[in-house]
Amino acid sequence: QVQLVESGGGLVQAGGSLRLSCAASGRTDSSYAMGWFRQAPGKEREFVAAISWGGTVTYYADSVKGRFSISRDNAKTTVYLQMNSLKPEDTAVYYCAAGNSIATLASATSWGQGTQVTVSS
């Protein structure tokens, strides 16, 4: 199983930027897709963005398209989420996930502990 640790969250004003990182360790010898989900208070967890093992395929939630960008490093053990033009509604705990494919990420067994992102208006 892959262990995931997120970092990079914080407090930012609306219109600002943050970059989240998710470092993977453990069974990193196999290929896996990675992605980001978020959960706001009182709401269900929702998909944000995902990237394939090779980094050539990405998907985004409509609410973040054009503002967020997902990428992974050459070693494929760290995934990033660059968040620009942040809005108060982006406030949530952001979780990193790793799974066999993008399609199955929501039911992945490897999750990070989450990092808080707060956007003030």
Side-chain angles (χ1 to χ4, degrees):
Q1 189 160 342
V2 177
Q3 288 78 48
L4 304 171
V5 177
E6 303 101 333
S7 61
L11 173 64
V12 64
Q13 288 189 334
S17 299
L18 281 174
R19 189 174 86 150
L20 305 183
S21 299
C22 174
S25 60
R27 294 190 61 183
T28 57
D29 57 331
S30 58
S31 62
Y32 48 91
M34 296 183 75
W36 291 93
F37 293 76
R38 66 187 182 187
Q39 187 167 21
K43 295 187 177 181
E44 294 188 354
R45 185 175 64 195
E46 65 175 1
F47 169 76
V48 175
I51 189 166
S52 63
W53 167 250
T56 57
V57 178
T58 57
Y59 287 101
Y60 297 93
D62 288 343
S63 59
V64 306
K65 279 181 183 176
R67 299 188 299 121
F68 290 12
S69 177
I70 189 170
S71 61
R72 65 193 303 169
D73 67 345
N74 289 336
K76 300 180 175 60
T77 57
T78 302
V79 66
Y80 305 97
L81 185 68
Q82 178 66 44
M83 305 185 295
N84 299 326
S85 301
L86 282 162
K87 304 175 181 180
E89 50 263 44
D90 294 318
T91 295
V93 177
Y94 284 70
Y95 297 92
C96 177
N100 294 329
S101 68
I102 289 177
T104 60
L105 271 178
S107 57
T109 57
S110 295
W111 290 87
Q113 81 288 352
T115 185
Q116 177 70 48
V117 171
T118 302
V119 184
S120 62
S121 57

